Amino acid sequence: QVQFVESGGGLVQPGGSLRLACAASGSIFSISTMGWYRQAPGRQRELVAHISSSGNTSYADSVKGRFTLSRDNANNTVYLQMNSLKPEATATYYCYAHHTGPSGPPRTYWGQGPQVTVSS
């Protein structure tokens, strides 16, 4: 089992910044991709960004140039720096990790989801 400790959500004004952190723990054998999805009320969950174990990143077009995803492999932690936030970024942000154990198929684990609200 893999668990997450997430932090950094909250209320911020448009144009402001927030930094989300997600630390995976538990019976970790091998984590490949980690990243964040978000889901706003009444909308489908969408991929925000993900990062491979080697550090390759990919971003949704809507956040490119404003969000930066980084990773600390030693501590199984990812950080999402969000700058120039817009009201449409208001959502619950879910951390995830693709985990491969010593046996069985790979599995995706999800965090609880910090809330991000961008409003004046």
Side-chain angles (χ1 to χ4, degrees):
Q1 287 285 354
V2 176
Q3 299 86 35
F4 298 95
V5 176
E6 299 163 300
S7 62
L11 173 65
V12 64
Q13 293 186 341
S17 297
L18 281 175
R19 188 191 194 211
L20 303 182
C22 172
S25 63
S27 302
I28 295 174
F29 186 75
S30 177
I31 292 178
S32 56
T33 303
M34 296 184 74
W36 295 87
Y37 274 75
R38 67 185 178 187
Q39 187 167 20
R43 302 190 66 176
Q44 289 187 334
R45 189 173 293 193
E46 63 174 352
L47 178 64
V48 178
H50 61 81
I51 185 167
S52 69
S53 57
S54 60
N56 293 319
T57 54
S58 180
Y59 298 91
D61 287 343
S62 59
V63 307
K64 283 181 181 177
R66 298 184 298 113
F67 288 17
T68 302
L69 184 61
S70 59
R71 179 168 176 169
D72 176 356
N73 284 332
N75 293 299
N76 294 307
T77 300
V78 289
Y79 304 94
L80 183 66
Q81 178 66 42
M82 304 184 292
N83 298 328
S84 302
L85 281 162
K86 303 177 181 180
E88 50 264 41
T90 296
T92 301
Y93 283 69
Y94 296 95
C95 176
Y96 75 94
H98 292 321
H99 177 261
T100 300
S103 62
R107 179 177 171 180
T108 300
Y109 290 88
W110 294 90
Q112 293 295 314
Q115 176 67 35
V116 171
T117 302
V118 184
S119 175
S120 56

